[in-house]
Amino acid sequence: MSSHTSTKKSVVKTYFAKKYDKVLDSIQAVEESISGTQPSSTTTRSTTAATVTPISSRALLQKVAGSLVNASIERIRPERDDTLLEFSESLTDQFESKVMSSTFSTKSGRDHFIDIFLDKLIARITPENLPEREHFVHERTAQPVSITILTKNLKSLTGQMDGIFEVQDSIVRLLTWRNPSGTITMLILFTILCYNPMYLILLPLFHVMYGSMARGYMYRHPLRKTIYPARREFGKSLINTVASGGPSMAQQPLTTVDTAESLDPSLTEENDEDRNSIDDRKSLNDLSGSTKIIVNLRDLQDMTTGILSFHKSMEKFNLEVAGFKDEYHSTRLFLKLGLIFIILWSLSTHINWGFLMSSLAWSLMIRFHPKLRNKLSKRSNKDETLAEKDLNSHIGLAPPINSIILDEKPEVRFIEIFELYQRGVIPRYWRFLKFSNKVFEPADQLRKAQQQPLGVLDITEVLPPLRWEFDENSNWEIDHDVSKWASQRGLETEMEIEGDFLIDPLFKRRRLIRKVVKYANPIPLPAHD
Amino acid sequence: MSQTDKKLNAFHAKFIPSHPEQTSLRKRLSPTMTISLSKMYPVLLLLDNCLNNILWLNNTHYHYFNNVILLILSLNFLIADRTSQSLYSILILWVGLLSTELLIMSIVYYCITLSNDLETDEPPTLEDIFNLIDAITHKLHILKEESIVSKLQIDSKLSIIIIVGVTSIIQWALMSCIAVKRYVISYLIFCSIYHSDWVQATLRLLWRSGYIRNVIHLVDRFKKKRPIKSLKDLISIQEIKSNESRLKVSDLEIMESYMDIIHLEQTDSVKVLELTIWENQRKWNGKGWFTKLFSYERGPFSIFDAGQTVLDCKAPLKFEDGLFDGWTWLDKKWEINDWVYFDSCWNLVGSKDSLQCYTRSRKWVRRILQLESNNESKKNV
């Protein structure tokens, strides 16, 4: 197996060598470096996890970039399309060249060339009028798709994502009780907010005043409250012991934390709840710029994966539950939601919403405390198995004792087919030609082209329109009111009516109609499949 | 491969065009008719717009929601209590006045722009006018279909009396618990949103709930007559219904061996009655047919009386032992016919199950006879 993949790899390499020999050099250099230091790991995650052992940040970079290149080779292999190949190849090349620009400074010129080349390529393959999105102002210069701008944006974005990830981290810490006093502060603030929504405006003001401005002032004009570091801490905080949901999960990979920095007066002033995040930021600051980008890229990747899975589940809900895939369950849900809406709406004036919301928040947060959750989940597992047994005993019982009945009248429409006859050699002799869905009048396109009409020879081969079905209780019936359907098509003046037939010099036809029914439209397919 | 070929070669019939061109009608129109139609065009446009507003068509839901709010505010103003002089009530009055003006102005504005457009535009073609008339009739059709009156089953004087009675009780209850002003406003809100697609979809979904159906059909449930439990009642009902047929035994086609069992002679004169019991079932959630039926409709077994009203009864097999007064079963057993299929309201659909069918019935038939002439003598023996 490994020899097979290596031969494939070599074939790909030769292909690369023919087209971009310079690029290949760098790829090979990276690959060699990977095989030299750590042959097994390929994913970025495992490499960053492996950085606990002290290695230089450059080696880390090489590993990450090398595994990216390796992954892209793997990705390209099954695809035969040359443009795609060039596209992703140059993307990886670009990335790599950017990361390693310090070592391979000669590449910058070529890099630029590839950017221009790619931009031109994209401009050529995309249609001129791309669909527009809504914008706040009408006058907007249309920006063409450009790899240069995209990568520049992505690069600066990954550099500036720290803040967002920090916020995410602190929110997770608050919700999981890893910062217990922070969680309690949050609940207290929420309670205040529930009783007086005006605080929704006041709190941000407070945050700006003391979260950012006072902090900035104290950085510029330190209060000179120098605290000497204690060698050992005695005693423990009650809240931390009782309510802590465990230590912080965020890893601090690099061990080179300068102790002198921790004495910085601006940091010692921070209260307990923010210390963790400060530590994080500090450790991130310790990383060199490009490593930070990689870490942020990984987090961005996690974030996008999370967003995608969330989007997927939302789409699933929209298509299946809200889209009435299972009519019975969706109807039940709709009626339940309606009932809840009406109850809440009618009770809304009699409910102390502040008390309700705040007590709900407190009970939920206490309910989801890690220590309590474990105990509760054990109990609920037992309940669930019991409930499942109950449910299973109910399934399979014949009469469905439930409150929902689906007996909507199906959509009913009528379809038509024309039974065509051709005039024979002997006068008054007509030869059956076809069952067609066209009248096949003299003005018909196919008839003008002296071709046969589309159709079938046997009436049983005629199918109902897609997603419709024939009504079992109806059959094909001859439409006796010829003048009506002829006049609806404006044909009664051109042709003669004889019995059930509409006749022209060459052909005669009669109309057959039948009822078709449809219960519901099928649910739409998800967009990404 | 062959399946995909089949799919590709499949020949699908087409729908009958739903909006056929009435060319012949247009050709037959007299000039005066054409002129009067084109003069009516603005009125038709106004009517069409009115219908659009009632049916919430042609615009976003936001637009109609805002209209409803404006309507509420202006109604509040028009029937407001003007004696109060607090600042808040003055503010409310002012907002009400503003929204009334806004409503009136928007109507006037629409009319003016409409007439302007008509003046500047080309005169309407016959095609335009006919299309508009078609659209209006279609919308009126929808109105009629969706209206509450069309959903009530008014088939007799009694049902009218019941409906009037029930609705007046509801009205009285509503009037006594909420003020007239609020009642009027909520009634108008109800009218203005009733035909919107959201309300219609909600009503349809509500109709799927068995509980709600039971509540709505509460009257039907009480109208239901007592079920037939004895063979005597069954025979008396069917006697009234059928023309009694007095026959000689010789006219009947009965196997002689069976005649011996029920003690019949060829010369006997008999009264023959055909007992018919219908077995009923309902289709549940696509899971299949079950004898579980709603409490307000016919039961699992039923018969029709002389007035074609449905009466519930026991299962046919439970009537076997109740023979009296010389009545004897003429057939050895119940003859069971094929199922006949109905829609959800027991209107006949056909003999085959289809998407339109939600209920079905089948006949159980058995003949019963009563000796006439030799009755007394046989009893004595």
Side-chain angles (χ1 to χ4, degrees):
Chain A
M1 184 68 194
S2 65
S3 68
H4 181 67
T5 49
S6 65
T7 49
K8 265 192 172 181
K9 207 181 265 182
S10 67
V11 169
V12 175
K13 274 179 190 167
T14 45
Y15 174 77
F16 269 67
K18 273 177 193 167
K19 280 211 155 184
Y20 299 103
D21 46 350
K22 274 188 187 177
V23 184
L24 192 74
D25 287 346
S26 63
I27 293 173
Q28 278 176 333
V30 172
E31 269 194 308
E32 276 162 19
S33 75
I34 296 161
S35 54
T37 48
Q38 197 181 14
S40 59
S41 76
T42 42
T43 58
T44 47
R45 188 171 266 283
S46 59
T47 41
T48 41
T51 50
V52 186
T53 51
I55 45 166
S56 71
S57 60
R58 207 221 202 125
L60 169 86
L61 274 179
Q62 280 186 338
K63 271 182 173 184
V64 173
S67 53
L68 265 170
V69 171
N70 220 359
S72 62
I73 293 173
E74 291 287 333
R75 178 97 180 73
I76 290 162
R77 199 177 294 156
E79 289 165 354
R80 285 288 178 151
D81 194 343
D82 277 2
T83 44
L84 245 178
L85 206 86
E86 279 168 26
F87 180 76
S88 55
E89 185 268 335
S90 50
L91 248 184
T92 51
D93 170 55
Q94 210 176 22
F95 173 76
E96 183 216 28
S97 62
K98 282 226 162 97
V99 172
M100 306 218 276
S101 54
S102 55
T103 45
F104 302 97
S105 54
T106 47
K107 273 188 184 176
S108 57
R110 195 177 52 85
D111 189 359
H112 184 59
F113 164 74
I114 283 174
D115 280 351
I116 295 167
F117 169 71
L118 265 174
D119 287 354
K120 295 230 161 171
L121 187 75
I122 290 165
R124 269 187 62 184
I125 58 174
T126 49
E128 280 201 3
N129 292 321
L130 288 171
E132 276 289 330
R133 298 255 166 233
E134 291 286 356
H135 297 294
F136 284 104
V137 284
H138 276 288
E139 300 83 20
R140 183 179 161 273
T141 48
Q143 219 177 24
V145 179
S146 158
I147 286 296
T148 332
I149 297 171
L150 208 65
T151 41
K152 209 173 81 189
N153 285 356
L154 196 70
K155 197 188 162 193
S156 53
L157 188 72
T158 46
Q160 290 159 16
M161 288 297 274
D162 295 2
I164 294 167
F165 292 127
E166 225 167 77
V167 170
Q168 189 190 323
D169 276 356
S170 60
I171 288 172
V172 171
R173 262 196 294 274
L174 287 180
L175 292 179
T176 52
W177 289 86
R178 279 170 210 155
N179 175 9
S181 17
T183 309
I184 289 167
T185 311
M186 179 189 82
L187 283 171
I188 290 169
L189 287 180
F190 183 76
T191 311
I192 293 172
L193 205 70
C194 283
Y195 278 98
N196 190 356
M198 188 58 198
Y199 275 90
L200 207 61
I201 302 163
L202 297 183
L203 284 176
L205 283 183
F206 188 80
H207 177 77
V208 172
M209 277 166 69
Y210 293 98
S212 336
M213 293 188 74
R215 212 155 130 193
Y217 172 79
M218 285 188 290
Y219 178 76
R220 274 174 77 84
H221 310 285
L223 295 179
R224 312 241 169 262
K225 279 188 190 171
T226 318
I227 293 171
Y228 291 94
R231 286 191 186 164
R232 222 192 116 190
E233 278 185 22
F234 296 97
K236 281 177 184 170
S237 155
L238 175 71
I239 285 181
N240 267 339
T241 317
V242 175
S244 173
S248 170
M249 299 275 276
Q251 275 188 356
Q252 277 91 59
L254 293 190
T255 49
T256 54
V257 177
D258 196 350
T259 43
E261 246 185 74
S262 63
L263 285 175
D264 192 304
S266 66
L267 293 178
T268 45
E269 287 300 315
E270 292 297 335
N271 53 8
D272 189 42
E273 64 197 71
D274 274 351
R275 186 163 290 159
N276 280 327
S277 66
I278 294 292
D279 284 352
D280 261 12
R281 196 170 55 208
K282 203 144 54 67
S283 63
L284 270 182
N285 284 338
D286 291 339
L287 300 176
S288 67
S290 27
T291 320
K292 204 170 84 181
I293 287 176
I294 298 300
V295 172
N296 278 345
L297 259 182
R298 181 206 61 195
D299 294 344
L300 193 70
Q301 175 190 307
D302 284 356
M303 200 187 217
T304 44
T305 314
I307 289 171
L308 278 178
S309 67
F310 173 73
H311 180 255
K312 211 172 181 179
S313 57
M314 282 298 291
E315 198 179 28
K316 200 181 170 205
F317 174 83
N318 270 333
L319 287 177
E320 292 183 5
V321 183
F324 282 82
K325 188 184 183 186
D326 183 343
E327 299 257 348
Y328 172 67
H329 284 291
S330 299
T331 311
R332 272 182 79 112
L333 181 72
F334 182 87
L335 295 178
K336 267 184 199 167
L337 291 178
L339 202 67
I340 292 169
F341 178 84
I342 287 170
I343 289 171
L344 285 181
W345 179 67
S346 52
L347 289 180
S348 61
T349 47
H350 309 294
I351 289 177
N352 186 343
W353 286 103
F355 175 74
L356 186 78
M357 294 309 289
S358 53
S359 53
L360 206 69
W362 278 91
S363 54
L364 268 182
M365 282 312 294
I366 292 170
R367 166 80 177 72
F368 285 109
H369 191 284
K371 286 177 189 168
L372 211 59
R373 196 173 52 192
N374 288 339
K375 283 178 192 169
L376 287 174
S377 67
K378 272 178 201 163
R379 192 184 289 171
S380 68
N381 275 344
K382 271 183 200 168
D383 291 350
E384 263 173 32
T385 46
L386 279 176
E388 248 173 54
K389 267 183 192 169
D390 257 27
L391 200 74
N392 286 334
S393 62
H394 277 299
I395 291 172
L397 277 183
I401 310 296
N402 53 45
S403 57
I404 302 293
I405 175 157
L406 308 168
D407 62 349
E408 260 133 359
K409 279 182 185 163
E411 229 178 303
V412 175
R413 283 185 78 174
F414 286 87
I415 53 170
E416 60 181 8
I417 203 95
F418 295 95
E419 190 179 341
L420 296 178
Y421 288 86
Q422 192 171 19
R423 196 182 283 276
V425 191
I426 315 158
R428 311 294 302 166
Y429 172 75
W430 294 93
R431 188 172 60 84
F432 169 71
L433 188 66
K434 252 171 191 179
F435 289 105
S436 171
N437 50 24
K438 290 268 171 63
V439 185
F440 210 55
E441 73 272 22
D444 192 281
Q445 293 289 334
L446 283 172
R447 186 160 161 185
K448 277 183 185 168
Q450 296 199 331
Q451 283 176 349
Q452 287 257 331
L454 293 173
V456 287
L457 294 173
D458 191 0
I459 192 79
T460 53
E461 287 173 39
V462 179
L463 299 174
L466 280 176
R467 294 189 287 278
W468 288 76
E469 55 183 86
F470 285 127
D471 178 29
E472 289 294 325
N473 287 306
S474 79
N475 224 322
W476 285 108
E477 278 167 22
I478 297 163
D479 188 359
H480 298 296
D481 194 356
V482 187
S483 60
K484 191 184 169 193
W485 66 260
S487 73
Q488 281 173 357
R489 289 174 165 77
L491 297 171
E492 85 278 24
T493 47
E494 301 166 27
M495 300 187 216
E496 286 173 40
I497 294 169
E498 197 183 290
D500 294 332
F501 288 95
L502 189 69
I503 303 177
D504 68 59
L506 286 176
F507 296 93
K508 70 171 186 177
R509 75 280 295 150
R510 62 177 172 189
R511 184 165 88 151
L512 306 176
I513 51 177
R514 191 171 178 182
K515 192 155 87 174
V516 284
V517 286
K518 180 173 79 170
Y519 179 68
N521 287 323
I523 64 159
L525 291 170
H528 48 79
D529 284 350
Chain B
M1 190 66 196
S2 63
Q3 268 196 347
T4 50
D5 274 3
K6 254 188 184 176
K7 265 190 182 175
L8 281 175
N9 292 330
F11 181 72
H12 297 274
K14 283 183 179 169
F15 293 115
I16 292 176
S18 49
H19 300 292
E21 292 175 19
Q22 302 284 351
T23 41
S24 57
L25 182 68
R26 275 154 223 203
K27 276 170 195 164
R28 269 183 255 136
L29 269 185
S30 64
T32 42
M33 190 70 185
T34 317
I35 292 165
S36 51
L37 269 178
S38 63
K39 281 194 175 164
M40 261 178 70
Y41 192 59
V43 183
L44 289 174
L45 279 174
L46 276 177
L47 182 64
D48 187 50
N49 191 47
C50 276
L51 287 172
N52 282 344
N53 273 303
I54 293 169
L55 291 170
W56 289 45
L57 289 170
N58 259 13
N59 222 323
T60 56
H61 281 68
Y62 309 117
H63 174 88
Y64 294 113
F65 175 77
N66 295 348
N67 274 356
V68 169
I69 297 295
L70 280 181
L71 189 73
I72 292 169
L73 286 172
S74 45
L75 277 172
N76 239 334
F77 167 72
L78 290 174
I79 46 177
D81 170 28
R82 293 201 174 82
T83 51
S84 163
Q85 294 198 339
S86 68
L87 200 66
Y88 179 72
S89 60
I90 291 170
L91 183 76
I92 291 290
L93 273 180
W94 180 69
V95 172
L97 178 67
L98 267 188
S99 36
T100 315
E101 281 173 357
L102 201 65
L103 260 187
I104 294 169
M105 269 164 64
S106 63
I107 294 168
V108 172
Y109 180 77
Y110 175 77
C111 293
I112 291 170
T113 47
L114 178 74
S115 71
N116 271 349
D117 285 353
L118 282 174
E119 272 170 26
T120 49
D121 246 33
E122 290 170 10
T125 59
L126 260 185
E127 198 96 333
D128 292 338
I129 297 168
F130 272 97
N131 277 344
L132 190 62
I133 291 172
D134 281 346
I136 289 171
T137 42
H138 182 65
K139 281 167 194 170
L140 287 172
H141 225 81
I142 296 172
L143 271 187
K144 190 189 152 201
E145 257 177 34
E146 287 178 355
S147 70
I148 299 176
V149 182
S150 74
K151 279 168 189 152
L152 298 171
Q153 291 172 341
I154 303 170
D155 41 16
S156 62
K157 279 178 191 169
L158 183 72
S159 60
I160 294 174
I161 291 166
I162 287 171
I163 288 164
V164 169
V166 170
T167 45
S168 8
I169 289 169
I170 294 172
Q171 299 262 353
W172 178 78
L174 280 173
M175 298 277 267
S176 57
C177 63
I178 58 172
V180 177
K181 182 183 150 190
R182 237 179 136 183
Y183 178 77
V184 170
I185 289 177
S186 36
Y187 179 74
L188 278 168
I189 293 172
F190 175 76
C191 288
S192 56
I193 63 171
Y194 177 74
H195 288 287
S196 70
D197 46 4
W198 283 2
V199 173
Q200 288 300 319
T202 312
L203 287 178
R204 282 174 179 220
L205 283 169
L206 284 174
W207 187 241
R208 285 181 170 185
S209 160
Y211 298 122
I212 284 170
R213 282 192 199 195
N214 276 327
V215 169
I216 286 171
H217 284 286
L218 210 62
V219 180
D220 291 341
R221 206 168 155 185
F222 289 119
K223 267 190 343 194
K224 246 177 126 172
K225 285 176 186 162
R226 263 201 210 157
I228 310 295
K229 280 183 179 162
S230 66
L231 187 63
K232 201 174 180 179
D233 294 340
L234 185 72
I235 288 172
S236 65
I237 286 167
Q238 305 248 348
E239 260 183 330
I240 302 164
K241 199 182 151 195
S242 63
N243 297 324
E244 282 178 26
S245 49
R246 285 186 172 73
L247 296 168
K248 289 261 173 185
V249 172
S250 51
D251 298 337
L252 296 162
E253 293 168 9
I254 313 172
M255 277 171 67
E256 282 196 9
S257 56
Y258 186 62
M259 274 171 63
D260 289 342
I261 296 168
I262 55 174
H263 313 295
L264 276 184
E265 284 161 29
Q266 290 286 352
T267 50
D268 283 346
S269 164
V270 289
K271 190 164 82 177
V272 177
L273 208 63
E274 197 178 70
L275 295 182
T276 308
I277 294 177
W278 290 89
E279 183 188 353
N280 308 312
Q281 289 190 342
R282 186 174 264 283
K283 194 153 56 175
W284 284 91
N285 296 345
K287 288 179 184 173
W289 295 95
F290 295 104
T291 36
K292 179 180 149 51
L293 294 144
F294 282 116
S295 52
Y296 58 81
E297 61 185 355
R298 58 192 71 176
F301 291 97
S302 65
I303 56 167
F304 288 98
D305 71 358
Q308 290 299 312
T309 28
V310 183
L311 294 171
D312 288 356
C313 67
K314 287 195 298 185
L317 296 178
K318 287 183 181 168
F319 285 114
E320 299 222 313
D321 303 330
L323 290 172
F324 65 99
D325 268 2
W327 283 100
T328 318
W329 293 112
L330 180 54
D331 300 322
K332 271 184 191 171
K333 56 181 182 181
W334 290 90
E335 185 199 333
I336 304 169
N337 293 37
D338 288 335
W339 290 105
V340 185
Y341 293 85
F342 304 87
D343 70 359
S344 195
C345 304
W346 300 94
N347 299 314
L348 183 68
V349 176
S351 59
K352 284 171 189 164
D353 187 10
S354 81
L355 280 180
Q356 281 181 304
C357 310
Y358 289 105
T359 54
R360 64 177 183 182
S361 295
R362 64 176 173 184
K363 249 202 292 197
W364 291 55
V365 183
R366 192 169 180 185
R367 285 178 302 171
I368 194 165
L369 62 81
Q370 191 182 32
L371 289 177
E372 295 234 302
S373 57
N374 302 345
N375 228 354
E376 295 303 311
S377 59
K378 276 208 171 180
K379 262 187 185 173
N380 294 337
V381 171

